[in-house]
């Protein structure tokens, strides 16, 4: 990551969620609990999908990478938030701020790609079940995943110089905040950000929409109501994760970076709630995952 020349300002002040020490203590306990649950859930999904042979399928291969993305994104922002909730000076270095931008913006793009790949996987499984093994080969799955990882785009955050106010009205760093604080000409950066984000979002949304349009059409053609219910349940968890990710992401990035309570609530939902509930969505609504968790825990507890 190119850090550019940032010698004028060496650190930023994160104004956080509240200046009240009592509220900060309550938020620390709340976010610490969320942090532990999120790490436990995503690490458990990673462990189960990698160690249980019955989950060595494309769907769970993609799910393991989704859990790893949530793990990286969450670990880049929440520990610093917990530290600032307990400290008097709520600061973050320029390098640390750009690291949060890298993981926040980069993993969001990768997760959008990965969710569209998972939607395509469900489309093949439901609409072309007899050709599933052929269409979703191991090489194709690995290529799709590495293609998602290749979409890391942090060019809008590179080569920015900061010499203005060092206060960020947020608990973490984001690209809009850095643009406001930069004394460089950010016109090109904004154009690149808008173009890449629009292209990225449009491409992934179209693939997800196409996949689920075909899935719904196939489900409606199933005569048996029990068959329709069973088929829909196979993609219910993924559809829930898609709606939660895009819904919270749109609310987060369409709101101006002003530090308003509503904007902070949407940010918490996007950066904390989504990584927390993804493992719950895929485990509580999936009998295969629940059975694999029981088998894995039983195997490791025996040792």
């Amino acid at each position: 990551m190119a850090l550019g020349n940032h010698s004028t300002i060496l650190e930023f002040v994160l104004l956080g969620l509240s200046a009240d020490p009592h509220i900060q203590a309550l938020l620390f306990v709340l976010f610490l609990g969320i942090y532990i649950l999120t790490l436990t859930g995503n690490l458990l999904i990673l462990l189960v999908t990698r160690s249980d042979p019955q989950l060595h399928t494309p769907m769970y291969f993609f799910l393991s990478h989704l859990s790893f993305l949530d793990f990286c994104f969450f670990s880049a922002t929440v520990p610093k938030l917990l530290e600032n909730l307990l400290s008097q000076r709520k600061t973050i270095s320029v390098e640390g701020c750009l690291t949060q931008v890298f993981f926040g913006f980069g993993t969001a793009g990768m997760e959008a790609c990965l969710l569209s790949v998972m939607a395509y996987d469900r489309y093949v499984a439901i609409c072309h079940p007899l050709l599933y093994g052929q269409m979703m080969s191991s090489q194709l799955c690995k290529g799709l995943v590495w293609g998602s990882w290749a979409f890391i785009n942090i060019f809008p955050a590179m080569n920015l110089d900061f010499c203005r106010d060092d206060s960020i009205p947020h608990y973490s760093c984001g690209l809009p905040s850095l643009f406001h604080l930069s004394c460089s000409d950010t016109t090109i950066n904004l154009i690149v950000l808008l173009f890449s984000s629009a292209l990225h979002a449009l491409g992934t949304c179209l693939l997800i929409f196409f996949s689920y349009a075909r899935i719904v059409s196939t489900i409606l053609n199933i005569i048996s109501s029990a068959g329709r219910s069973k088929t829909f349940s196979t993609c219910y968890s993924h559809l829930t994760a898609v709606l939660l990710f895009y819904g919270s992401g749109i609310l987060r990035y369409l709101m101006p970076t002003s530090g308003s309570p509503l904007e902070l609530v949407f940010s918490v939902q996007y950066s904390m709630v989504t990584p927390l509930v993804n493992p719950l969505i895929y485990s509580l609504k999936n009998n295969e995952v629940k059975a694999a968790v029981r088998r894995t825990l039983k195997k490791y507890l025996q040792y």
Side-chain angles (χ1 to χ4, degrees):
M1 185 192 314
L3 297 178
N5 180 15
H6 307 291
S7 58
T8 305
I9 291 180
L10 300 179
E11 62 182 15
F12 298 112
V13 177
L14 297 174
L15 300 181
L17 295 169
S18 174
D20 190 328
H22 297 90
I23 294 180
Q24 289 180 8
L26 292 175
L27 290 175
F28 175 83
V29 175
L30 173 62
F31 293 149
L32 179 62
I34 292 177
Y35 182 63
I36 294 173
L37 289 175
T38 302
L39 292 186
T40 303
N42 283 291
L43 289 176
L44 184 61
I45 291 293
L46 280 171
L47 175 65
V48 169
T49 53
R50 294 308 176 101
S51 62
D52 195 299
Q54 296 188 31
L55 297 186
H56 291 175
T57 62
M59 175 182 175
Y60 299 108
F61 174 71
F62 299 139
L63 177 59
S64 66
H65 282 268
L66 181 65
S67 295
F68 183 71
L69 281 175
D70 285 337
F71 173 81
C72 293
F73 173 57
F74 201 76
S75 298
T77 56
V78 178
K80 188 62 180 178
L81 169 62
L82 294 175
E83 176 190 338
N84 285 341
L85 286 173
L86 296 179
S87 62
Q88 294 294 328
R89 295 193 73 246
K90 308 180 188 306
T91 60
I92 184 172
S93 65
V94 172
E95 291 78 8
C97 190
L98 290 177
T99 300
Q100 287 192 351
V101 170
F102 172 81
F103 281 100
F105 192 65
T107 55
M110 289 185 288
E111 187 158 338
C113 286
L114 195 56
L115 288 173
S116 64
V117 169
M118 295 173 72
Y120 175 74
D121 172 73
R122 292 300 84 204
Y123 155 71
V124 176
I126 293 173
C127 299
H128 304 283
L130 298 179
L131 300 176
Y132 182 76
Q134 179 181 352
M135 296 178 66
M136 298 301 296
S137 63
S138 177
Q139 290 184 341
L140 177 62
C141 293
K142 292 178 181 179
L144 291 173
V145 166
W146 287 117
S148 299
W149 282 92
F151 273 98
I152 301 177
N153 183 6
I154 58 161
F155 292 108
M158 298 172 65
N159 299 320
L160 293 178
D161 292 308
F162 305 104
C163 55
R164 296 178 182 172
D165 183 17
D166 61 352
S167 299
I168 297 178
H170 212 279
Y171 61 84
S172 64
C173 295
L175 273 179
S177 301
L178 296 186
F179 287 158
H180 287 301
L181 297 178
S182 176
C183 56
S184 307
D185 184 6
T186 60
T187 304
I188 296 178
N189 303 72
L190 284 170
I191 293 174
V192 172
L193 174 63
L194 292 174
F195 179 77
S196 62
S197 299
L199 186 64
H200 204 77
L202 183 62
T204 55
C205 283
L206 284 177
L207 182 56
I208 292 174
F209 176 79
F210 169 79
S211 299
Y212 275 98
R214 295 297 301 271
I215 288 173
V216 171
S217 176
T218 301
I219 292 176
L220 292 178
N221 289 329
I222 298 176
I223 299 177
S224 170
S225 59
R228 285 197 299 268
S229 177
K230 183 179 180 180
T231 304
F232 183 75
S233 66
T234 62
C235 59
Y236 173 81
S237 57
H238 177 253
L239 185 58
T240 304
V242 168
L243 294 176
L244 182 62
F245 172 76
Y246 277 96
S248 61
I250 290 172
L251 292 174
R252 163 68 179 90
Y253 286 106
L254 287 185
M255 291 286 293
T257 308
S258 59
S260 64
L262 187 61
E263 191 260 339
L264 291 174
V265 167
F266 288 148
S267 297
V268 169
Q269 178 185 349
Y270 175 72
S271 62
M272 297 187 193
V273 177
T274 301
L276 170 65
V277 300
N278 272 348
L280 298 177
I281 289 173
Y282 283 101
S283 59
L284 294 180
K285 286 295 182 180
N286 193 307
N287 292 326
E288 288 183 332
V289 174
K290 288 189 287 186
V293 168
R294 288 193 292 267
R295 288 193 299 269
T296 302
L297 293 178
K298 182 178 179 181
K299 180 177 68 174
Y300 282 97
L301 288 176
Q302 286 177 347
Y303 291 101

